[in-house]
Amino acid sequence: MKTIILGGVAAGMSAASKIKRVDPRVDVVVYEKRGFLSYGACGLPYYVGGFNDDFRRMIARSEETFHSMGVETHLHTEALSVDFPRREVTLRGEKGEVFKDRYDKLLIATGAESVVPPFPGREKRGVHVLKSLEDGIFLREVAFDPSIRNVVIVGGGAIGLECADAFLNLQKDVTLIEAADRVLTPFDPEFSEEAAKEVTRHGVKLHLSEKVQQFTGGERVESVETDRGQYPADLVILSVGVRPSTGFLTDPRLKKAKNGAIIVDREMKSSITDVYAAGDCAATWHSLARQQTYLALGTVANKTGRIAGENLCGRHQRFLGVLGSAAIKVCDMEFGRTGLGEAEAGALREPVASVVVDAYDHPAYYPNPTPIKVKVIYEKRTKKLLGAQL
């Protein structure tokens, strides 16, 4: 049996490894659009910001390791289309050659791509995203250029805040622009406020409820213009979100969510026989919300990839679902969450309530206790715990 995997980072390589552990006789062929396999993209801001000086620390397993397991890998090879009735993938190789490959079973693990809004001037030099390891290697070199002083970050989500921390570490002047009225929106407002205070305390010029209109300058970006002002920029980082990398899949029989994420069941099976999907290109089951959701996290990708790998070998493992667990460091503060936020819970369940507790991480009889804020969300009637944030 031959299994083709499209995508060779978290979900794809977790699946490839699991297949070879379950049934070494399966022929596994991986096609990856970019130049690296099996790396932790969560570490990219810390590499760019100089917290880590070796990008290889982000690579979980080398290409040579996968070859020793019997996994055939092809880098710089992009999937162009899939003919599901013929079980055939059309691909473009590193030298531009177009070729086809046939499969018995297929795993789509193409991940997500950065959203780049159609801002005028977005094509200028100095306007970048941070999504792939190649992005990180390039931006690391740019970031250490002493002529780069003013860095403007567009978007106040996790990546935007981590990039702010990274460029502060390099003593850059950092401006962060967010269209919403708060940063870190996966967390409840109490925690968004703490994150905003923290980055501001460290010198970030934070602009909320402000919308970017264009990037100005010559060939290279020189400033960012919004609906409320203009800010000098030697470098712009766009971090306004991601979308599933599924645009090349045009067969209407493959069911997708509104954002393009592939709809799968609890065994990672798509709507097409012998075609599975996992990771950031796929929807996933939320075990508390009791519905499909989209959660582009490496932890989810690795778990769903392993389950897909087992089931590609004929097993019937079911994914228990996600809880929305996430953690982030914002300058000197750490934030964590799991389950449903208060607004999420209120929209999905019977009446909910919450309580916030300010305490310390250990008793005062031991030196240097650290303050910690804990919020729990629960159903009013049953007292069932629905979520927590710290």
Side-chain angles (χ1 to χ4, degrees):
M1 184 181 76
K2 179 178 180 179
T3 294
I4 288 179
I5 298 175
L6 303 180
V9 187
M13 300 321 290
S14 291
S17 300
K18 178 61 78 172
I19 291 169
K20 282 299 183 180
R21 286 195 293 270
V22 173
D23 189 350
R25 298 169 300 174
V26 176
D27 293 328
V28 180
V29 182
V30 178
Y31 292 106
E32 166 54 39
K33 180 179 179 179
R34 295 183 175 86
F36 296 93
L37 299 171
S38 190
Y39 62 88
C42 298
L44 290 172
Y46 305 109
Y47 175 67
V48 171
F51 296 99
N52 162 30
D53 59 2
D54 186 353
F55 71 84
R56 291 171 295 185
R57 292 177 182 171
M58 288 181 277
I59 298 175
R61 288 184 178 177
S62 67
E63 188 175 15
E64 291 72 25
T65 299
F66 287 108
H67 290 173
S68 70
M69 296 166 59
V71 177
E72 181 183 332
T73 61
H74 300 269
L75 299 176
H76 303 291
T77 304
E78 179 181 6
L80 301 178
S81 63
V82 180
D83 186 332
F84 295 113
R86 299 183 66 178
R87 298 181 182 239
E88 191 172 75
V89 182
T90 300
L91 305 115
R92 180 167 52 228
E94 185 172 6
K95 298 179 180 178
E97 73 280 12
V98 176
F99 63 98
K100 299 179 186 295
D101 198 0
R102 292 178 59 83
Y103 63 84
D104 297 303
K105 293 186 178 181
L106 175 69
L107 172 63
I108 302 167
T110 44
E113 58 198 38
S114 296
V115 173
V116 180
F119 299 131
R122 65 188 179 280
E123 75 287 346
K124 294 183 183 297
R125 287 177 55 205
V127 179
H128 300 282
V129 299
L130 181 58
K131 182 67 177 68
S132 68
L133 188 48
E134 285 89 343
D135 293 334
I137 292 170
F138 176 80
L139 281 173
R140 162 83 177 215
E141 185 175 344
V142 171
F144 276 73
D145 182 342
S147 69
I148 303 296
R149 292 303 318 153
N150 296 299
V151 178
V152 177
I153 298 167
V154 181
I159 298 298
L161 291 175
E162 288 171 342
C163 284
D165 192 4
F167 288 106
L168 286 173
N169 193 55
L170 298 176
Q171 279 77 57
K172 307 296 184 183
D173 294 321
V174 179
T175 299
L176 194 152
I177 301 169
E178 169 56 55
D181 62 357
R182 62 189 181 97
V183 297
L184 207 61
T185 54
F187 285 76
D188 284 355
E190 302 96 317
F191 298 90
S192 295
E193 183 179 347
E194 296 285 357
K197 288 179 181 177
E198 181 70 1
V199 294
T200 302
R201 184 173 71 85
H202 280 78
V204 172
K205 293 180 275 292
L206 180 61
H207 298 267
L208 301 175
S209 302
E210 195 162 343
K211 296 180 181 179
V212 170
Q213 293 184 329
Q214 64 177 336
F215 306 126
T216 60
E219 181 182 336
R220 185 174 186 87
V221 68
E222 296 175 8
S223 66
V224 177
E225 186 176 312
T226 74
D227 57 353
R228 292 167 58 184
Q230 191 165 5
Y231 310 100
D234 303 310
L235 177 66
V236 174
I237 305 296
L238 293 174
S239 58
V240 298
V242 297
R243 65 166 63 94
S245 296
T246 58
F248 69 101
L249 300 165
T250 57
D251 192 321
R253 289 170 291 188
L254 182 68
K255 293 182 180 178
K256 299 181 187 177
K258 289 182 179 180
N259 70 341
I262 299 167
I263 300 294
V264 294
D265 65 13
R266 305 281 288 281
E267 295 184 7
M268 302 297 116
K269 295 177 181 176
S270 76
S271 54
I272 295 178
T273 302
D274 292 330
V275 176
Y276 297 68
D280 292 357
C281 67
T284 189
W285 180 254
H286 197 297
S287 58
L288 277 172
R290 308 302 297 173
Q291 64 184 24
Q292 292 283 342
T293 189
Y294 182 68
L295 199 62
L297 291 174
T299 50
V300 176
N302 281 306
K303 291 173 185 175
T304 56
R306 285 193 290 270
I307 287 174
E310 286 203 55
N311 295 338
L312 282 159
C313 294
R315 295 185 177 180
H316 295 281
Q317 294 291 331
R318 286 171 57 83
F319 183 45
L320 294 178
V322 298
L323 289 173
S325 303
I328 179 175
K329 173 182 173 290
V330 180
C331 298
D332 293 334
M333 296 188 75
E334 298 169 0
F335 295 79
R337 60 153 290 165
T338 192
L340 300 171
E342 190 164 11
E344 293 172 305
L348 293 169
R349 318 287 286 223
E350 59 182 87
V352 300
S354 66
V355 61
V356 177
V357 177
D358 289 295
Y360 289 90
D361 66 339
H362 61 256
Y365 58 67
Y366 190 82
N368 303 318
T370 302
I372 184 168
K373 180 190 294 288
V374 182
K375 179 179 183 177
V376 293
I377 299 99
Y378 61 95
E379 287 182 348
K380 277 187 175 180
R381 182 179 61 85
T382 65
K383 303 297 189 291
K384 180 179 179 180
L385 185 63
L386 300 175
Q389 300 184 20
L390 298 88

